[in-house]
């Protein structure tokens, strides 16, 4: 059947005009009529007479359609089956049509998830209103995502949720109240066992714990290979059904893709999304709004470049890097979200040190691009001076709080954290960040700063946390240190170009290792500040000396 | 015959088709869908209907001609025919299909064969009427007139 090339992005300002409809019907007469009718409604129509063809079209362009209208009786595939597929894979609203209006059929349609069931002959006026289904779904989706984010946010540092600036959620949409309400609901509701026998199906409340189990399962399976059945099995929650998991998975995917989109926009810098392929996909950490992708440089020393971008969780690979220096952790940055939460769920580790970043972090990601660290130099110079910068990189800790994977120090096995990049800050911490070391590193840091020039020190001094190196992520203080100075220049973070500046700065800094490095570093640090500082300071006020 | 007269004839003829139940409101819908961008819309749709229906009728004939009639298949075909006849408003064809389906359920070959006959009859009648209608329209257009649009007044 004719396929129109109306694969434009969703129309926003003239909704519902331009609504992208996919019509599936094996009857050529109806197909033609529906096409005409829908066009008259100013919708963008694509027709297709086979269910399989429809699925292909939908899969090819995941985001190419807003709604699907399908006949119930089709030769190659049952309309209800198509309905299920579309619901599971694409999560689009589906309207069923039939010349048969028997109650049982209609009921079957609804049970399979149809958002409406139209009887043929279909009138224009019925088609005019189909946009309501798209709209309704969008609203619900937002709420669901919000509630999911809400769940995730609970994992964040205690102050994490405080960090959320309501106004920044969802780009200003007034969903926060809904979200907060949902959070409350999620926290306090009892798990509603879904009782398949009851006519009114009890809705499963995805509590923090449940969601956590879900995410763990997803991570274990591997995001790419995930499927409702596998997740369900792993989760081992007896009362949960496959359907519950399937729908939750849908929402999760939507959430991730939404954050991914945002990160894609921000991801200009370094193309940093490299991560150990193995780890990258497997750990989708949810709810991280800022992602710091530690990209591994090609440098032999294994310096990693961090790019903070909005990419999602997928980049977070916290686990799995045991012994692998190149741990790449990315803490997804969610632009719209006010706070960054670097909470990479690590089944093994407690989430004590989640860092939530202020939404300004979002802009930070530009700054955090250390990508260019090709800075082997950077590393070198900074590290060389420091006796110990070893940050042992434990994969787990990576999860870190800072969500940074350590940057390997040249010549050493250290993994540097992003903080390290800040010349002064990073160096000070000892290799493995433990609380003890933190304090000791704190001391170390100071001298480091000196190396970079007084200016730097100045920058740093306001922050008390010298030990910025979160490496192990246990040290919030470390983070603080690093971040504090940064806070001052959040504005610079906003522009995606910041990262570039940053890189240049780094190089510059390198050259100016011994003196006068202050300036370049300053800017660097500013760039790096990004919002970490704010975050940290808020988070761990107590940590700062 | 001059245009005005032809137009009146067309109107009367169309009206009679509705009165006699050959066509229903859906046909009017089709006419209303027709516009300058698609001046032959109705004719095209009806042509599609003709082609599809004839195929279905053939399939039905063959299916009922089997030693072991597959009623599920027969029913599926009838269902399809019912659907497409409803698309253009061929009311009597549609009604004949409804009756046909009942006998399919009963798995009554004899009755089904009779129904098939009935459906075919209704189909050819409808086809004839519609073709006449279109011819009238063509004549008007050829004579320089415009085809009057039926209003759903009756």
């Amino acid at each position: 059947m004719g396929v129109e090339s109306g694969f434009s992005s969703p129309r926003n300002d003239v909704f519902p005009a331009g609504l992208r409809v996919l019509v599936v019907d094996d009857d050529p007469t109806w197909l033609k009529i529906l096409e005409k009718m829908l066009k008259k409604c100013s919708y963008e129509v694509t027709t297709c007479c086979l269910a399989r063809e429809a699925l292909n079209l939908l899969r090819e362009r995941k985001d190419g359609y807003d709604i699907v209208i399908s006949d119930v009786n089709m030769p190659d595939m049952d309309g209800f089956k198509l309905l299920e597929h579309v619901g599971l894979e694409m999560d689009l609203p589906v309207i069923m049509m039939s010349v048969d209006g028997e109650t049982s059929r209609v009921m079957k349609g609804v049970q399979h998830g149809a958002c409406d069931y139209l009887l043929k002959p279909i009138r224009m006026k019925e088609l005019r209103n189909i946009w309501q289904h798209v709209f309704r779904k969008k609203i619900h989706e937002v709420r669901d995502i919000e509630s999911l984010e809400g769940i995730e946010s609970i994992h964040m540092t205690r102050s994490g949720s405080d960090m959320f600036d309501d106004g920044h959620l969802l780009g200003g949409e007034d969903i926060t109240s809904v979200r907060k309400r949902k959070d409350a609901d999620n926290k306090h509701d009892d798990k509603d066992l879904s009782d398949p026998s009851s006519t009114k199906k009890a809705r499963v409340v995805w509590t923090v714990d449940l969601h956590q189990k879900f995410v763990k399962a997803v991570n274990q399976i591997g995001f790419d290979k995930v499927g409702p059945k596998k997740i369900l099995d792993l989760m081992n929650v007896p009362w949960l059904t496959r359907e519950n998991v399937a729908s939750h998975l849908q929402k999760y995917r939507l959430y991730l893709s939404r954050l991914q989109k945002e990160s894609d926009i921000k991801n200009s810098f370094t193309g940093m999304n490299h991560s150990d392929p193995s780890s990258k996909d497997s750990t989708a950490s949810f709810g991280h709004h800022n992602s710091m992708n530690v990209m591994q440089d090609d440098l032999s020393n294994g310096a990693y470049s961090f790019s903070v971008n909005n990419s999602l969780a997928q980049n977070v690979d916290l686990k799995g890097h045991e012994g692998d220096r190149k741990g790449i952790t990315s803490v997804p940055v969610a632009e719209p979200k006010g706070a960054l939460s670097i909470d990479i769920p690590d089944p093994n580790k407690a989430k004590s040190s989640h860092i939530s970043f202020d939404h300004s972090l979002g802009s930070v990601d530009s700054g955090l691009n250390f990508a260019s660290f090709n800075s082997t130099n950077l590393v070198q110079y900074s590290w060389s001076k420091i006796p110990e910068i070893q940050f042992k990189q434990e994969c787990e800790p990576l999860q870190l709080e800072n969500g940074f994977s350590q940057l390997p120090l040249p010549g050493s096995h250290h993994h540097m954290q992003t903080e390290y990049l800040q010349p002064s800050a990073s160096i000070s911490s000892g290799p493995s960040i433990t609380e003890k070391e933190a304090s000791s590193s704190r001391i170390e840091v100071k001298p480091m700063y000196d190396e970079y020039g007084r200016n730097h020190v100045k920058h740093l001094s306001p922050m008390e946390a010298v030990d910025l190196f979160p490496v192990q992520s246990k040290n919030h203080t470390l983070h603080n240190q690093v971040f504090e100075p940064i806070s001052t220049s959040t504005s610079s973070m906003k522009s995606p170009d910041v990262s570039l500046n940053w890189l240049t700065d780094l190089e510059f800094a390198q050259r100016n290792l011994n003196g006068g490095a202050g300036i370049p570093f300053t800017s660097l640090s500013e760039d790096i500040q990004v919002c970490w500082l704010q975050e940290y300071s808020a988070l761990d006020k107590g940590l700062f000396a | 015959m001059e245009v005005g007269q032809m137009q009146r004839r067309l109107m009367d003829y169309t009206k009679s088709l509705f009165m006699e139940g050959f066509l229903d409101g859906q046909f009017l819908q089709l006419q209303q869908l027709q516009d300058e961008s698609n001046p032959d819309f109705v004719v095209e749709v009806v042509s599609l209907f003709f082609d599809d229906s004839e195929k279905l009728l053939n399939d039905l004939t063959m299916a009922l001609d089997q030693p072991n009639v597959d009623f599920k298949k027969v029913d599926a075909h009838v269902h399809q025919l019912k659907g497409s006849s409803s698309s253009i408003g061929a009311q009597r064809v549609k009604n004949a299909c409804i009756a046909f389906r009942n006998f399919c359920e009963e798995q009554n070959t004899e009755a089904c064969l009779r129904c098939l006959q009935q459906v075919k009859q209704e189909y050819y009648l409808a086809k004839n009427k519609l073709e006449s209608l279109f011819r009238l329209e063509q004549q008007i257009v050829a004579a320089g007139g415009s085809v009057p649009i039926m209003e759903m007044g009756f």
Side-chain angles (χ1 to χ4, degrees):
Chain A
M1 274 289 169
V3 172
E4 301 189 29
S5 57
F7 294 123
S8 47
S9 44
R11 64 310 85 152
N12 295 316
D13 38 335
V14 292
F15 186 85
L19 195 72
R20 297 160 307 161
V21 186
L22 176 66
V23 186
V24 191
D25 197 334
D26 63 319
D27 184 332
T29 325
W30 268 116
L31 210 52
K32 191 175 172 89
I33 296 173
L34 288 168
E35 184 186 25
K36 184 74 183 172
M37 284 184 173
L38 290 165
K39 276 187 173 161
K40 281 233 156 172
C41 298
S42 309
Y43 295 154
E44 257 180 40
V45 189
T46 308
T47 58
C48 143
C49 60
L50 285 175
R52 297 209 187 273
E53 192 190 324
L55 274 177
N56 286 340
L57 284 173
L58 287 165
R59 283 168 185 154
E60 267 172 42
R61 299 195 156 252
K62 289 257 165 173
D63 229 6
Y65 303 95
D66 297 311
I67 187 167
V68 178
I69 304 183
S70 168
D71 190 79
V72 164
N73 297 87
M74 284 189 292
D76 65 331
M77 189 194 290
D78 186 14
F80 296 120
K81 204 132 198 237
L82 174 64
L83 170 57
E84 262 183 10
H85 277 293
V86 174
L88 274 176
E89 294 179 37
M90 294 105 204
D91 199 28
L92 288 176
V94 181
I95 294 178
M96 303 303 290
M97 310 181 280
S98 181
V99 67
D100 181 357
E102 267 169 49
T103 309
S104 59
R105 302 292 277 175
V106 177
M107 190 168 304
K108 196 171 175 193
V110 175
Q111 279 171 343
H112 279 76
C115 57
D116 206 350
Y117 193 108
L118 301 177
L119 290 189
K120 287 177 170 175
I122 299 178
R123 296 298 154 93
M124 271 284 287
K125 58 188 178 202
E126 295 174 83
L127 291 179
R128 276 198 198 282
N129 280 340
I130 62 173
W131 61 266
Q132 65 178 280
H133 304 293
V134 177
F135 187 64
R136 190 179 297 118
K137 209 166 182 98
K138 285 270 179 293
I139 298 181
H140 288 160
E141 188 179 291
V142 160
R143 281 208 208 114
D144 288 339
I145 289 178
E146 281 301 288
S147 70
L148 271 168
E149 287 170 346
I151 294 172
E152 284 294 324
S153 74
I154 292 166
H155 298 306
M156 300 196 291
T157 4
R158 55 198 185 273
S159 48
S161 39
D162 298 336
M163 294 296 292
F164 279 105
D165 181 2
D166 284 0
H168 296 280
L169 282 171
L170 285 191
E173 281 172 27
D174 194 17
I175 306 281
T176 27
S177 51
V178 176
R179 186 188 139 267
K180 294 251 162 171
R181 175 168 52 77
K182 280 248 163 192
D183 282 350
D185 288 347
N186 288 337
K187 285 183 210 171
H188 304 126
D189 283 354
D190 291 336
K191 276 188 193 156
D192 230 353
L193 299 192
S194 59
D195 176 9
S197 57
S198 66
T199 44
K200 189 176 179 188
K201 217 166 161 191
R203 204 172 156 188
V204 170
V205 176
W206 282 86
T207 63
V208 168
D209 288 334
L210 194 60
H211 178 70
Q212 213 34 43
K213 282 200 178 116
F214 170 84
V215 175
K216 275 185 199 167
V218 168
N219 293 340
Q220 248 176 281
I221 297 167
F223 194 68
D224 286 342
K225 299 174 274 193
V226 84
K229 184 85 178 62
K230 289 184 192 169
I231 299 175
L232 185 64
D233 291 341
L234 269 179
M235 280 179 73
N236 195 24
V237 176
W239 52 269
L240 201 62
T241 70
R242 190 194 150 281
E243 279 160 5
N244 301 141
V245 176
S247 73
H248 194 70
L249 179 62
Q250 263 308 305
K251 292 175 198 147
Y252 188 61
R253 279 197 175 120
L254 277 166
Y255 175 76
L256 294 182
S257 70
R258 188 181 79 132
L259 292 181
Q260 182 64 46
K261 271 185 223 156
E262 290 156 8
S263 79
D264 284 346
I265 298 168
K266 300 251 159 189
N267 234 348
S268 40
F269 329 104
T270 49
M272 318 203 46
N273 277 325
H274 288 317
S275 37
D276 249 0
S278 54
S279 49
K280 182 175 182 173
D281 291 342
S282 58
T283 47
S285 68
F286 196 73
H288 296 282
H289 308 298
N290 284 329
S291 57
M292 311 274 270
N293 289 323
V294 177
M295 300 296 301
Q296 171 154 20
D297 254 357
D298 295 337
L299 299 177
S300 50
N301 63 11
Y304 290 110
S305 42
F306 288 96
S307 60
V308 176
N309 56 37
N310 290 325
S311 62
L312 255 192
Q314 283 143 13
N315 297 320
V316 176
D317 168 21
L318 300 176
K319 333 183 199 199
H321 284 298
E322 282 306 333
D324 178 358
R325 301 223 180 154
K326 305 180 186 174
I328 294 176
T329 6
S330 52
V331 177
V333 173
E335 250 303 275
K337 277 266 174 188
L340 239 200
S341 56
I342 304 185
D343 174 15
I344 297 171
D346 177 355
N348 312 320
K349 288 264 170 177
K351 309 164 200 171
S352 51
S353 48
H354 297 302
I355 296 174
S356 52
F357 292 96
D358 192 42
H359 62 283
S360 48
L361 255 183
S363 45
V364 174
D365 56 292
S366 42
L368 283 176
N369 244 311
F370 296 117
S372 344
F373 278 90
N374 268 330
S375 343
T376 325
N377 307 324
L378 220 187
V379 175
Q380 281 163 358
Y381 87 86
S382 34
W383 305 126
S384 52
K385 310 254 171 134
I386 302 170
E388 298 223 58
I389 304 185
Q390 325 195 319
F391 293 96
K392 262 186 232 156
Q393 167 153 22
E394 297 174 12
C395 298
E396 307 211 342
L398 257 189
Q399 280 192 331
L400 347 196
E401 305 184 299
N402 16 11
F404 290 108
S405 49
Q406 303 146 3
L407 282 178
L409 288 175
S412 71
H413 53 283
H414 312 302
H415 294 281
M416 303 289 258
Q417 301 236 337
T418 12
E419 285 103 338
Y420 288 97
L421 293 180
Q422 296 217 332
S424 42
S426 46
I427 304 182
S428 49
S429 342
S432 42
I433 295 220
T434 56
E435 317 274 338
K436 292 187 286 187
E437 284 175 342
S439 44
S440 56
S441 57
R442 197 181 290 237
I443 299 166
E444 288 169 15
V445 174
K446 291 211 172 112
M448 293 290 300
Y449 290 138
D450 287 346
E451 286 179 12
Y452 296 106
R454 304 289 165 211
N455 294 349
H456 249 329
V457 178
K458 268 193 242 157
H459 279 285
L460 296 173
S461 46
M463 318 194 299
E464 20 207 86
V466 173
D467 21 320
L468 292 173
F469 299 108
V471 176
Q472 281 317 11
S473 65
K474 288 194 195 135
N475 293 322
H476 288 277
T477 51
L478 287 181
H479 297 287
N480 291 327
Q481 283 185 347
V482 176
F483 298 112
E484 282 199 28
I486 298 176
S487 54
T488 51
S489 59
T490 35
S491 53
S492 59
M493 301 294 4
K494 312 261 170 164
S495 74
D497 293 328
V498 172
S499 59
L500 297 176
N501 297 338
W502 209 80
L503 291 175
T504 327
D505 284 342
L506 280 176
E507 289 172 30
F508 189 60
Q510 290 171 348
R511 293 187 209 127
N512 293 297
L513 250 194
N514 290 320
I519 295 168
F521 281 112
T522 306
S523 38
L524 271 179
S525 61
E526 282 182 355
D527 289 351
I528 300 177
Q529 287 174 359
V530 192
C531 306
W532 293 92
L533 293 179
Q534 289 177 352
E535 187 55 47
Y536 284 110
S537 38
L539 279 178
D540 294 296
K541 285 270 188 246
L543 288 176
F544 298 137
Chain B
M1 200 186 293
E2 42 109 26
V3 174
Q5 261 184 293
M6 287 194 272
Q7 284 172 335
R8 267 191 304 280
R9 240 182 92 181
L10 176 65
M11 300 271 298
D12 290 340
Y13 188 64
T14 313
K15 227 182 197 171
S16 72
L17 291 182
F18 281 101
M19 297 301 228
E20 291 163 26
F22 284 102
L23 294 176
D24 64 25
Q26 180 66 15
F27 190 76
L28 284 177
Q29 280 264 308
L30 290 189
Q31 288 188 318
Q32 281 166 6
L33 281 176
Q34 186 163 287
D35 55 21
E36 316 76 44
S37 70
N38 233 160
D40 296 318
F41 180 68
V42 181
V43 174
E44 285 168 9
V45 173
V46 174
S47 305
L48 276 175
F49 166 69
F50 289 158
D51 293 340
D52 198 37
S53 300
E54 271 156 47
K55 201 168 76 64
L56 281 170
L57 287 171
N58 280 336
D59 290 344
L60 275 169
T61 311
M62 278 194 344
L64 282 172
D65 208 17
Q66 304 297 313
N68 281 332
V69 178
D70 181 355
F71 284 100
K72 268 220 153 90
K73 203 163 183 198
V74 174
D75 183 69
H77 287 314
V78 178
H79 182 89
Q80 257 184 286
L81 187 58
K82 180 182 168 194
S84 42
S85 56
S86 72
S87 76
I88 64 153
Q91 198 175 254
R92 279 158 67 141
V93 179
K94 182 171 115 182
N95 290 340
C97 287
I98 295 175
F100 196 156
R101 285 192 85 193
N102 290 335
F103 288 116
C104 285
E105 264 185 61
E106 291 179 19
Q107 308 219 347
N108 186 335
T109 313
E110 273 297 312
C112 283
L113 281 167
R114 278 199 301 275
C115 281
L116 179 59
Q117 275 313 110
Q118 187 72 14
V119 170
K120 278 182 177 173
Q121 204 176 307
E122 290 298 342
Y123 167 74
Y124 286 113
L125 260 176
K127 185 170 181 196
N128 256 322
K129 304 271 179 190
L130 284 165
E131 282 172 342
S132 304
L133 192 91
F134 293 143
R135 254 195 313 274
L136 280 173
E137 284 184 354
Q138 277 163 12
Q139 284 168 5
I140 293 171
V141 170
S146 59
V147 177
I149 309 260
M150 293 288 308
E151 291 301 317
M152 294 179 71
F154 61 97

